[in-house]
Amino acid sequence: MILVIGATAHFGRQTVEALAGAGRKVRALSRTPEKAGLPEGVEVVAGDLTRPETLGAALDGVTELFLVLPYGMDVQPLLEQARRSGVRQIVFLSSGAVVDGADPQPDVIAAYHARVEREITATGVDRTFLRLFFPAINSLSWAMQLPGGDVVRGPHAAAAASLVHERDVAEAAAAVLGSPEHFGRVYELTGPQSLTQTEQVEALGRALGRGLSFEEVPAPAVREQLGRFMDADFVAALLDLMAATAGKPAPVNDTVERLTGHPARPYTRWLTDNLAAFR
């Protein structure tokens, strides 16, 4: 039995669907099971990471655990219960910002994910870490600007990313779950090409049949605005990560293909799959 934590978020939902589609036995944790909307045959159980006493039943009989965590979540109570319940493998969707051996880590995003990785390792349970930098779903933040015209505004026009389709992440997770050959391994997931934000918006415009363009907004203004309703240190780290990629191609590897057996889906495929969100 595989338990997916974060099963109704983008990556968790896609992973549940990939596992169910492959005939795997999968259980999904949800605070509101009646609203989960997951595929038929998936066992949806009630539970809340902020209330450890609700997790015991969800972990009963679980052999593999897939973790998609909100930033800042204290995972120790879950890990302790997973260890006591006899979970054999923990797969964690971590961040590509983590720098192995760095102390301190370069920013709060890397520090949080590195800490979770250490806590998982400390359980003694076999583990696999999937590290992801910039997922393609980040582009959804542009959708709210499109009704106002053909200009998308944001910081760091030249910031580059090898954007990853969430389905590739899900299929990579499904491939490593329950496979001893992946125990103790760390995999960095990338898309098949490096694209600047300007190039991403232009690709979105072609997919929509619109002449979209990207207009750069000074990063300090964006930092101040986002910091009003998001963790200020998280915002600063995210913008600094983007700034660090400006003017140089993002790394591209073949990890998705090695894990899943097919090349990573290109950004144009992600746009096609998600075009309705921009209309």
Side-chain angles (χ1 to χ4, degrees):
M1 173 67 77
I2 300 168
L3 175 62
V4 176
I5 302 290
T8 56
H10 283 287
F11 294 108
R13 181 178 294 277
Q14 291 275 342
T15 302
V16 168
E17 292 175 356
L19 290 166
R24 308 281 292 276
K25 195 173 181 181
V26 57
R27 179 182 294 163
L29 186 77
S30 174
R31 283 181 291 183
T32 54
E34 68 280 1
K35 299 179 181 178
L38 293 169
E40 186 177 351
V42 174
E43 182 185 352
V44 184
V45 296
D48 187 338
L49 291 182
T50 65
R51 298 171 56 214
E53 68 276 10
T54 68
L55 302 177
L59 285 161
D60 184 39
V62 167
T63 50
E64 290 87 34
L65 181 62
F66 180 55
L67 292 179
V68 182
L69 298 174
Y71 170 76
M73 171 64 67
D74 178 11
V75 76
Q76 276 284 16
L78 169 64
L79 294 179
E80 178 56 27
Q81 291 205 44
R83 184 190 63 78
R84 292 201 308 263
S85 297
V87 170
R88 298 198 298 256
Q89 181 197 22
I90 299 173
V91 177
F92 172 47
L93 184 59
S94 189
S95 171
V98 173
V99 178
D100 288 321
D103 186 19
Q105 289 287 321
D107 56 59
V108 295
I109 296 174
Y112 171 69
H113 289 88
R115 185 173 77 247
V116 174
E117 289 185 5
R118 289 194 302 271
E119 292 171 345
I120 292 171
T121 301
T123 66
V125 177
D126 283 312
R127 75 279 179 195
T128 308
F129 300 144
L130 302 177
R131 291 181 181 167
L132 177 64
F133 240 129
F134 289 104
I137 59 172
N138 285 2
S139 300
L140 292 174
S141 64
W142 295 331
M144 66 184 68
Q145 297 191 44
L146 297 183
D150 289 339
V151 177
V152 173
R153 296 173 178 83
H156 305 303
S162 51
L163 299 159
V164 186
H165 196 302
E166 56 267 26
R167 191 67 183 181
D168 286 337
V169 177
E171 291 175 4
V176 303
L177 280 160
S179 298
E181 65 186 282
H182 301 297
F183 290 0
R185 301 291 299 274
V186 177
Y187 296 108
E188 294 190 350
L189 305 180
T190 80
Q193 61 187 145
S194 174
L195 296 170
T196 66
Q197 291 210 99
T198 296
E199 291 168 333
Q200 294 165 41
V201 169
E202 290 172 349
L204 174 58
R206 289 192 292 272
L208 289 169
R210 294 172 60 177
L212 300 184
S213 62
F214 190 92
E215 181 180 299
E216 184 165 312
V217 176
V222 176
R223 185 172 306 196
E224 191 276 331
Q225 183 181 34
L226 291 180
R228 296 175 189 170
F229 54 91
M230 296 174 62
D231 181 274
D233 290 336
F234 177 89
V235 172
L238 181 61
L239 294 180
D240 287 347
L241 283 170
M242 293 174 64
T245 71
K248 54 186 178 184
V252 172
N253 62 41
D254 65 348
T255 302
V256 167
E257 183 169 9
R258 288 190 289 112
L259 292 177
T260 68
H262 64 74
R265 294 167 171 88
Y267 185 59
T268 50
R269 169 64 184 274
W270 183 87
L271 290 172
T272 299
D273 291 344
N274 292 273
L275 210 55
F278 297 94
R279 285 178 167 154

